Amino acid sequence: MSGNIAKFDFDTPVVRRGSGSYKWDSDTDPEVIPLWVADMDFRTAPCVIEALRRRVDHGVFGYTLVGDEYYDALTRWFDTRHGYRFSREQVIYTSGVVPAISAIIKALAKPGEGVIVQTPVYNCFFSSIRNNGCRVVEAPLLREDLADGSFTYRMDFEALERAAADPGNAVMLLCNPGNPAGRAWTADELRQVAEICGRNRVRVVSDEIHCELTIGDYHYTPYGPIDPRAVVCLSPSKAFNTAGLQIANIICPDEATRALIDRAININEVCDVNPFGVEGLKAAYSAEGAAWLEALKAYLTDNYHFTRDFLAERLPGLPLSRLEATYLPWLDVSSLGMPTEEMEEWLKERSKVWVNCGEMYGAGGFLRLNIACPRATLAEGLRRLADGLEKL
């Protein structure tokens, strides 16, 4: 264990069942280990907890004014950590990345127009598109099998070109890094996206909620500096396990586009945030938050290596994706011949482990795993998964 990890405790389980946890309390069977929804089982950074405790001690929780300290923390973090520079005037805050995406689609695409996605991709992209009366247009990623038995994905730029050239398609939703593809997209790949979409007048909206969670030596490339016309969605919620605080930011340099999005945010009534989200972001985007985050990333990298080695030994015929970012490995179970919607329920009922089916993300034949939990929990969950899949 590295010294950086040792400063923080990621190994002690936190009892979440009975706490109103969507991840742990959605199934009433107390024996089920949930390795599904993208929610970590770790306490957030101590500096975030302390900031929230100070706010609770104040005791008054009225309407929230988002002040200079908030914008300073946000802009400084992305400038110094990622070389992504934007001004506070380019920021629209809201209650989450999914509400942000939904409002942006409302602002930039008319009902009936197409919104391009690269499947497999985050399931809420589909619902956000359809809820705004728009069409899902798929430009599927290309699978690439690797020499070590794993696999990865690359963008199909010919498919993207065809989709972008259709005048009925107005927007592309980019998932950067990719969920569940596990890719930390490179600058070259992102430049090609910008070139294709810019030439065809397709506006790119980049969901970068997983941007901090790179694995090993991989790194995150912000899309915003590559494409000045882009709209980028950011939040500390995935990296700091604070989704319940409900805070996110839309970065939009173009003033006219920003006005349209701001109007849509107000139409959708997601223009107000709570004081805990504001205080949580300021604390997370600090030197103390950065130290905790680096320890978390090291722990997640070790969890990924543990998962990869365990599954290679127990299930050598079922390839696992190479994980470059996120904590959500993608397992190919297509050779078992069962729809993964059925497999998800079978595993939950018979093996007492809950994972996500690939159909949710536009790609049947896969299971998405969540490895953001203490090693002992992960080991038991993987054992149950392997036992169940061996029976199949």
Side-chain angles (χ1 to χ4, degrees), residues 34-70:
L35 301 180
W36 64 299
V37 67
D39 174 333
M40 298 192 292
D41 288 329
F42 309 122
R43 286 186 173 91
T44 188
C47 61
V48 174
I49 295 171
E50 287 303 314
L52 298 179
R53 185 173 290 122
R54 288 193 299 271
R55 190 65 184 84
V56 167
D57 288 344
H58 182 264
V60 180
F61 312 112
Y63 297 116
T64 301
L65 177 68
V66 178
D68 291 343
E69 290 182 349
Y70 176 92

Side-chain angles (χ1 to χ4, degrees), residues 328-343:
L328 304 164
W330 186 237
L331 182 66
D332 181 354
V333 294
S334 58
S335 62
L336 299 182
M338 175 188 284
T340 51
E341 287 178 319
E342 296 178 20
M343 191 179 295

Side-chain angles (χ1 to χ4, degrees), residues 103-115 132-134 168-171:
I104 295 165
I105 294 172
K106 182 185 291 292
L108 302 184
K110 299 181 180 68
E113 288 189 316
V115 179
N132 281 285
C134 295
N169 299 334
V171 170

